[in-house]
Amino acid sequence: MSILVTGASGFIGFHVCNRLLQEGRQVIGVDSMNDYYDVELKKARLAMLQDHDGFTFHQFDLSDHQSVLGLYELGITSIVHLAAQAGVRYSIENPIAYHQANQVATLEMLELARNTDIDHTVFASSSSVYGANQNVPFSTADSVDTPISFYAASKRTGELLAHSYAHLYRIPVTAVRFFTVYGPWGRPDMALWKFAEAIESGGSIDLYNHGRHRRDFTYIDDIVEGVIRVLDNPAKPDANFNPLSPSPDHSDAPFAIYNIGNDVSVELTRYVDLIEAELGKTAERNLLPLQPGDIEESLADVEPMRRDFGWTPKVSVEEGVPRFIEWFKTWTSQA
């Protein structure tokens, strides 16, 4: 019995693999190891995973059908599909990359689930799907038909594909929408890393929307805990589904959607204050207008996660930011 984790050398994928391996589970990791950001960081994560006897790794692009076919005979029993092209702003520059990595690859994973004996597929979506919605906290009952970036549109497409497969082939699929994940071993394109790097070097930082963005920064350990609890509880048809008045958070298929985020919204300037305090330095702040594709506030309604899995976010930014900065100092001193 093996769990397939895609994006295994990525930020969230690494942490999910590590947790599963620590629990004694067998994990098959897949990652293309592309150069969207520093490959050395991905290699370092991967090396830690390869220290575990229960981990095997395959390097290829998940949008390559012939390569994916090689997974069909490996005895995979569940899938955590985390691999994706990340980044809202990069999606504006290179939308084709998001079609391949976020749509074609997701279709390949759903085909794998359909054609093999998969108990449950967990698909990583994003809070970005809420788009132009300004009704906070964001609820899975809300309409998500107004994406404002190609990244968001690609993730919503993945959700729709997953529901279609769950309905047609009765394969359990759960989509989890992540909210502003941060923590050790994060990506260099994330705000926390960028700010820390600029502040440490004495540079300036750009704060869009004049620093008034609010985000429910979610620590990686809380994300991983949520993913594991969802994984171990395959989606089932919802008895409350009403075909005469359908709601996005109910389905007659074995399909579900959950938000995994922090239900406390923090202003970006507060986040920067914490980084400066940990580094013992301050930065010049360039206050700039809102960027295209950005939302002003994100805040997750996580009550369904509490209700169904007993999960709740535990790590505040006052705890999480110092943990990241401690790791960041170690990593950059070795680079």
Side-chain angles (χ1 to χ4, degrees):
M1 296 175 63
S2 296
I3 301 168
L4 173 65
V5 179
T6 71
S9 68
F11 171 36
I12 300 174
F14 159 71
H15 283 280
V16 169
C17 286
N18 200 42
R19 168 70 179 273
L20 291 169
L21 292 164
Q22 287 174 354
E23 293 179 356
R25 308 204 210 188
Q26 299 294 307
V27 176
I28 298 171
V30 175
D31 202 297
S32 68
M33 302 290 286
N34 69 32
D35 60 358
Y36 172 65
Y37 62 85
D38 184 9
V39 176
E40 292 305 312
L41 178 59
K42 297 180 181 183
K43 289 179 179 178
R45 297 181 188 129
L46 184 59
M48 294 176 66
L49 297 177
Q50 290 174 323
D51 285 339
H52 295 268
D53 292 337
F55 181 74
T56 57
F57 180 70
H58 302 265
Q59 182 176 344
F60 61 83
D61 187 333
L62 285 168
S63 65
D64 179 1
H65 179 64
Q66 291 303 313
S67 294
V68 173
L69 287 176
L71 299 173
Y72 279 49
E73 307 301 324
L74 298 183
I76 294 165
T77 54
S78 55
I79 300 171
V80 183
H81 180 38
L82 301 169
Q85 177 59 59
V88 168
R89 295 187 182 109
Y90 185 60
S91 75
I92 298 172
E93 301 170 19
N94 189 4
I96 297 298
Y98 291 75
H99 169 68
Q100 289 296 121
N102 297 5
Q103 296 175 347
V104 176
T106 298
L107 186 62
E108 289 288 349
M109 290 301 95
L110 293 168
E111 277 289 285
L112 173 62
R114 175 171 81 93
N115 289 293
T116 59
D117 190 21
I118 299 295
D119 297 328
H120 193 197
T121 299
V122 178
F123 164 65
S125 187
S126 167
S127 62
S128 295
V129 301
Y130 289 103
N133 177 20
Q134 295 184 3
N135 182 31
V136 292
F138 295 149
S139 167
T140 54
D142 294 340
S143 170
V144 285
D145 293 331
T146 54
I148 57 175
S149 71
F150 296 125
Y151 171 66
S154 70
K155 284 298 185 180
R156 179 57 179 153
T157 300
E159 292 180 355
L160 295 172
L161 287 170
H163 184 272
S164 298
Y165 268 73
H167 173 77
L168 290 169
Y169 307 116
R170 313 314 290 178
I171 58 173
V173 185
T174 301
V176 287
R177 295 171 177 168
F178 297 146
F179 283 68
T180 320
V181 190
Y182 74 102
W185 295 99
R187 298 198 320 268
D189 65 329
M190 290 178 164
L192 177 54
W193 186 308
K194 286 183 172 180
F195 291 157
E197 195 168 53
I199 293 167
E200 180 68 11
S201 65
S204 63
I205 58 174
D206 293 337
L207 297 181
Y208 293 96
N209 195 33
H210 304 283
R212 293 193 293 267
H213 279 317
R214 298 189 68 88
R215 294 287 184 266
D216 48 351
F217 298 101
T218 313
Y219 192 69
I220 184 62
D221 290 0
D222 287 332
I223 292 287
V224 171
E225 181 66 30
V227 168
I228 301 301
R229 294 195 188 194
V230 169
L231 174 66
D232 291 339
N233 292 274
K236 299 176 182 178
D238 191 335
N240 295 316
F241 176 74
N242 181 359
L244 298 178
S245 181
S247 174
D249 60 341
H250 298 289
S251 175
D252 62 348
F255 176 81
I257 298 178
Y258 292 94
N259 292 329
I260 302 183
N262 199 331
D263 53 358
V264 175
S265 183
V266 177
E267 188 166 271
L268 191 58
T269 51
R270 169 61 178 158
Y271 201 54
V272 174
D273 289 343
L274 290 169
I275 300 168
E276 290 178 334
E278 287 303 309
L279 292 173
K281 299 179 181 180
T282 59
E284 180 183 349
R285 305 183 185 191
N286 303 321
L287 304 182
L288 302 170
L290 186 70
Q291 282 193 309
D294 268 358
I295 57 175
E296 294 192 40
E297 180 175 10
S298 69
L299 179 63
D301 174 9
V302 297
E303 186 54 38
M305 283 290 295
R306 289 194 179 95
R307 178 194 68 212
D308 294 348
F309 306 111
W311 174 91
T312 190
K314 295 181 178 179
V315 182
S316 68
V317 291
E318 286 77 15
E319 299 172 79
V321 169
R323 293 183 193 176
F324 170 81
I325 295 298
E326 181 180 5
W327 171 83
F328 173 80
K329 288 178 177 178
T330 301
W331 174 258
T332 53
S333 68
Q334 297 171 350

